[in-house]
Amino acid sequence: MNDKEIGKLINELRSQKNYDEAYIGYFQYGGGPDESCIKANRQGLELHAAELLEAALETEKEFEKGKIKTFGLDEGISDEESDFFFEYVELIKEVRNDIKPNSEYKETWKDKIFKYGCFGVLIGLGLLIIIGIMTVLSWI
């Protein structure tokens, strides 16, 4: 399908739908994420499909390869009591074999300072506790 056909389909999916009747929810019925399901009516599925198709159109817009661009899912029909929500879609340009499911997190200098700062506070607090105990014992 070309972009115009997808845009027309998005408009058709959204034009006839009553947002008050649309329903979609994501639930986990068991102990892990492999035991999950989507509960939805037809209107909810069609509106959700329209959002995903719009995200597909966003992938064709220009952004650098290797960079992550997000597209917010704002359909307003998700069940508030769902076990989890999909807030956005990460759009990428790579092909399937080049995609890493969990991107590596690079530790910044702020992260390092925070880590060493917390460690330093804990050591300082421990020293103050030891000094306090020694002072109390010397009074006795």
Side-chain angles (χ1 to χ4, degrees), residues 27-70:
F27 298 94
Q28 184 172 322
Y29 59 86
D34 59 330
E35 298 173 342
S36 301
C37 68
I38 297 174
K39 290 184 184 178
N41 61 11
R42 182 181 178 125
Q43 293 87 350
L45 287 171
E46 289 179 358
L47 289 171
H48 189 64
E51 286 288 317
L52 293 175
L53 286 171
E54 192 171 351
L57 288 178
E58 286 290 317
T59 60
E60 297 302 317
K61 293 186 178 175
E62 207 52 45
F63 65 97
E64 290 182 42
K65 189 173 183 175
K67 296 289 183 179
I68 296 174
K69 182 179 178 183
T70 61

Side-chain angles (χ1 to χ4, degrees), residues 10-29:
I10 290 169
N11 290 334
E12 288 178 18
L13 287 171
R14 287 186 175 153
S15 66
Q16 300 176 0
K17 300 302 160 226
N18 185 350
Y19 281 84
D20 294 335
E21 294 177 6
Y23 175 83
I24 192 165
Y26 309 96
F27 298 94
Q28 184 172 322
Y29 59 86

